[in-house]
Amino acid sequence: MAAQFEDEKPGRVLSGPAALLLGTVALAVGALALWQVFRPLAQGSKYYLIIFLAGVLPLVFLAYPAVLPRWAGRRGPRQATDSTNSTRPTLVDWLLAALAVAACLYPVVPITIGTGGGGYNAFLDRQGLLAPIDLLLGTVLLLLLLEACRRTTGWILPAVCLLFLGYGYYGGLLPQSWPVAHAGLDFRQLVDAFYNSDSGFYGTPLDVAASYIVLFTIYGAVLELSGAGRFFVDLSAAAFRRSRTAAGRTAVASGFLLGTVSGSGAATTVSIGAVTWPLLRRAGYPAERAGGMLAAAGVGAILSPPTLGAAAFIIAEYLGVSYLQVLGWATVPTVLYYLGILLSVEIDARRSGVRPVVLDVGSPWRLLGRFGYHFASLIAIVVFLAVGVSAMRAVVFAIVLTAALSWLDRTHRLTPARLVTALVTGVRGVLAVTAVCAAAGIITATTTKTGLGPQAAALLVGGAQAATSDPTLVLVLTALLAAVALSLLGLAVPVTASFVIGWVIVGPALLDLGVAAPAAAMFVFYFAVLSEVSPPTALAAVAAAAVTGGRLVPTMWQTLRYALPAYLTPIAFVITPTGLGLLGIGGVPRIAVAAVVTALSVSVLAVAAGGWLPGVGPAGVPERVLGVIAGVTLLWLEPVPVAVGVALAAIAAAGVLVRHGSTGRTRTPTQGRPRTATEGRPRTPTEEKLCDEPTYGSRRE
């Protein structure tokens, strides 16, 4: 179910020789990735990328069918068809896989073919002077990558790549007075930029996929097989089992913890929804509201340290900083994001009269005492990064630690066979990402060759300057236009590709206006990720609606309400210097002021969106409108706007107090004693399955 709502499409369930071949090659690729961490290939990183792509790209054609089921387009209703259950690659799939091997390995094969070939060094020496065989196989690899992207993500990303390719080829025909016109590139120059340069297929995006993402997907698979995923859900339930809003808090906490395993918004949404939706339903949450909560909590998986989404690794490479720094930049925004969700949960519970639900779980301290070792590897990653160990080595050490600690639990011991399964699962999980990252080289190389980035940035800034000449307002308008552009872009392409495109086009505009590089990069990152919850597509919301059975559009709007802080916080750290404090930059005073004021903004906006002031009661329309104005004003982290925002928030709160007289008159509907999640009705199939499985901390253990 999770695979149906991912940016990447579900693949085949292989069997027989095809499954054996895929498993063997995936195992070899995983072993090579681990070996590269400690004993890099002597020929250099590009040589490793060539070998890595030669191992991964053929597997895409074996693992993903050529004809996608009718629900497997980028968006829309999804209903499984027989094509996804095919266990046999077709003859065409085998031919494409063979072509992929040939096109990928050609640069390193020491065989002379006419005026081409001759091995790796000879291939590099022909940069800018491709031989006919170089041009042919470069074109073949270009077409194969476009087809791989079509199979794994749908038609949109290949179409975007073709648009950039067309711009590179035909841009010289544009009137030279146009800002986006360029001198023009012939096809040989384009293929050379893609196939034999450091900004094409083998550029930074693929380097990130082969060096970081594959290791973290392996780590996630190892962590899942060790039983960590189930422990995180049980711990969340145990921590809030006696709370009035236990069901909602459990869903949010589970989303945060499970994000360390999956790092995927839609997958985390489905995982936590399968477990917590019965609790939410029993507590009285409407399907749409519960779906919005689940989707927002699931997307937090991509935003939350220590395992951010794939684009976070690209940020580290583009800016030349450590991954630990990127984690530091994401920490305060993550806290603010979950603060907004938790406040919305509390507000909804009181506004909707949610019933308390007793969760049949053990003590959280007993769970931590018995299975708390699952946190050890996560903590170890941060510690290793803090003492200067590279991110790649840190995650490998975490894999080893997880495998060793798994022997403390008989049912989840990582035997050699299960370790092999984890390795294969991790590599298979990176197939689609690798295709996307390699294809992103088409975009980055074209942008570099044509100078499109600075030209597009000038257009974006010029649009803002056409409305006003005030430098501050120009920055604000540029940030708003960039946010809209990135949101629209994210509706069409996966998060990783959205970030790459956004960085090469929107990034220069923000940098030209004096925005710090970390703020610009994180701005693009957040809006690329938020496509998962942005109507009218919102993959995570679609997944949540499928779990809860709620109406799709209302679920999307509920998701948007829960995720509102994530849309506003990036603007705050772009438009003012004080906003850098939200990224942990600028010293303790700046960080404290930025965090406190933005937390107040998030709280005010949560109250305005939910229509309820905790401890008082429902807010009227005037108070809610005033709250929205106050919350947005507070995001301008300068003394005067902050003072105005605080005053407006105080007036709105006073209005609610006057309306209701005092906090003592607040009525929060309750209906009888707390009820258990399964009391008074038959169990659902999901609950039957869960009850048949041993639960950490239960008496049956």
Side-chain angles (χ1 to χ4, degrees):
M1 189 179 201
Q4 297 180 14
F5 303 102
E6 291 281 19
D7 284 322
E8 296 85 19
K9 305 308 168 205
R12 292 185 175 102
V13 180
L14 296 174
S15 63
L20 179 62
L21 177 62
L22 185 144
T24 302
V25 176
L27 182 62
V29 170
L32 175 63
L34 294 172
W35 178 268
Q36 179 72 7
V37 174
F38 299 98
R39 293 289 187 272
L41 299 181
Q43 295 87 342
S45 61
K46 185 174 180 178
Y47 190 93
Y48 165 66
L49 296 180
I50 291 172
I51 302 299
F52 181 85
L53 187 62
V56 170
L57 186 59
L59 300 185
V60 173
F61 298 108
L62 301 183
Y64 291 86
V67 180
L68 295 174
R70 55 192 174 92
W71 52 259
R74 170 72 178 144
R75 313 291 185 207
R78 291 160 160 79
Q79 296 177 353
T81 65
D82 292 339
S83 61
T84 58
N85 296 322
S86 172
T87 58
R88 294 183 182 177
T90 64
L91 178 60
V92 172
D93 296 331
W94 287 107
L95 289 175
L96 291 177
L99 278 175
V101 172
C104 289
L105 288 181
Y106 163 75
V108 300
V109 174
I111 299 176
T112 301
I113 305 174
T115 57
Y120 181 60
N121 291 329
F123 178 74
L124 294 182
D125 290 340
R126 292 195 297 275
Q127 185 172 359
L129 300 169
L130 294 185
I133 187 66
D134 299 336
L135 180 63
L136 173 63
L137 289 175
T139 304
V140 169
L141 184 55
L142 169 65
L143 296 175
L144 289 172
L145 286 172
L146 293 175
E147 170 62 9
C149 285
R150 186 195 68 82
R151 292 186 180 213
T152 56
T153 67
W155 278 103
I156 301 297
L157 180 57
V160 171
C161 291
L162 288 174
L163 181 64
F164 274 83
L165 181 63
Y167 170 73
Y169 189 75
Y170 292 106
L173 302 179
L174 297 173
Q176 292 302 303
S177 59
W178 289 15
V180 294
H182 60 86
L185 300 169
D186 62 31
F187 190 71
R188 183 181 294 271
Q189 289 175 302
L190 288 170
V191 173
D192 179 72
F194 301 152
Y195 197 36
N196 199 359
S197 78
D198 293 333
S199 63
F201 301 145
Y202 305 110
T204 298
L206 182 62
D207 189 15
V208 167
S211 302
Y212 296 97
I213 300 174
V214 65
L215 297 176
F216 274 85
T217 56
I218 293 172
Y219 170 61
V222 170
L223 203 60
E224 177 65 28
L225 286 177
S226 71
R230 185 55 186 258
F231 163 70
F232 291 151
V233 174
D234 287 338
L235 180 63
S236 301
F240 303 116
R241 68 191 190 282
R242 294 178 181 173
S243 167
R244 172 186 180 81
T245 54
R249 291 181 182 181
T250 298
V252 175
S254 298
F256 172 72
L257 293 174
L258 282 178
T260 61
V261 178
S262 71
S264 165
T268 305
T269 298
V270 172
S271 298
I272 62 177
V275 177
T276 60
W277 164 233
L279 305 177
L280 295 169
R281 178 176 56 195
R282 187 62 178 166
Y285 281 93
E288 292 78 15
R289 187 164 293 171
M293 181 195 306
L294 294 172
V299 168
I302 314 178
L303 302 173
S304 304
T307 51
L308 299 171
F313 299 101
I314 300 179
I315 292 176
E317 289 296 312
Y318 278 167
L319 300 187
V321 299
S322 69
Y323 181 59
L324 182 63
Q325 279 189 273
V326 180
L327 293 183
W329 297 340
T331 299
V332 175
T334 298
V335 173
L336 295 172
Y337 179 75
Y338 280 100
L339 171 65
I341 296 178
L342 287 172
L343 283 173
S344 297
V345 168
E346 300 297 324
I347 290 170
D348 283 351
R350 285 152 181 78
R351 184 183 182 188
S352 305
V354 170
R355 299 181 294 271
V357 175
V358 175
L359 305 182
D360 299 325
V361 293
S363 164
W365 300 111
R366 182 170 178 269
L367 275 173
L368 282 172
R370 176 65 182 87
F371 300 103
Y373 60 83
H374 287 300
F375 287 112
S377 61
L378 297 171
I379 297 172
I381 289 177
V382 177
V383 171
F384 283 132
L385 291 173
V387 298
V389 177
S390 69
M392 294 180 291
R393 292 196 175 195
V395 73
V396 173
F397 293 151
I399 291 171
V400 174
L401 180 60
T402 302
L405 292 176
S406 70
W407 287 81
L408 296 174
D409 180 9
R410 287 183 302 174
T411 59
H412 294 95
R413 289 175 178 172
L414 290 175
T415 61
R418 299 187 78 219
L419 280 174
V420 169
T421 300
L423 203 60
V424 172
T425 302
V427 173
R428 176 151 184 171
V430 84
L431 296 184
V433 177
T434 300
V436 169
C437 288
I442 299 171
I443 297 166
T444 56
T446 302
T447 303
T448 301
K449 281 286 188 180
T450 61
L452 177 62
Q455 294 165 348
L459 284 176
L460 190 61
V461 175
Q465 290 174 336
T468 178
S469 59
D470 183 85
T472 302
L473 292 180
V474 168
L475 175 58
V476 173
L477 287 177
T478 301
L480 293 175
L481 290 173
V484 172
L486 290 168
S487 297
L488 293 175
L489 177 64
L491 302 181
V493 298
V495 171
T496 305
S498 178
F499 173 80
V500 171
I501 299 171
W503 179 248
V504 299
I505 294 178
V506 172
L510 297 175
L511 295 174
D512 289 345
L513 292 175
V515 176
M522 295 302 287
F523 179 91
V524 176
F525 170 72
Y526 273 95
F527 279 101
V529 169
L530 289 173
S531 65
E532 294 266 352
V533 292
S534 299
T537 51
L539 282 181
V542 173
V547 172
T548 65
R551 294 170 296 164
L552 182 56
V553 174
T555 300
M556 288 182 178
W557 288 114
Q558 289 294 331
T559 303
L560 187 62
R561 180 172 69 86
Y562 276 102
L564 183 62
Y567 287 89
L568 300 176
T569 303
I571 295 176
F573 56 65
V574 163
I575 61 176
T576 62
T578 307
L580 287 173
L582 295 174
L583 300 179
I585 299 174
V588 174
R590 174 188 280 184
I591 296 171
V593 169
V596 170
V597 174
T598 309
L600 177 60
S601 172
V602 168
S603 302
V604 172
L605 289 170
V607 170
W612 188 283
L613 181 61
V616 181
V621 173
E623 292 88 359
R624 295 176 71 177
V625 171
L626 200 59
V628 170
I629 297 173
V632 173
T633 304
L634 285 167
L635 292 173
W636 195 296
L637 298 173
E638 295 294 340
V640 174
V642 168
V644 172
V646 170
L648 292 176
I651 294 172
V656 178
L657 285 169
V658 170
R659 181 183 296 270
H660 297 283
S662 68
T663 59
R665 296 183 184 179
T666 303
R667 294 185 299 172
T668 53
T670 58
Q671 299 180 6
R673 65 177 177 83
R675 291 186 281 183
T676 62
T678 57
E679 182 178 327
R681 61 171 177 82
R683 290 173 177 163
T684 65
T686 299
E687 291 166 349
E688 289 286 358
K689 181 178 184 296
L690 293 174
C691 289
D692 289 339
E693 296 177 358
T695 302
Y696 289 136
S698 66
R699 291 184 179 87
R700 288 186 289 133
E701 184 210 12

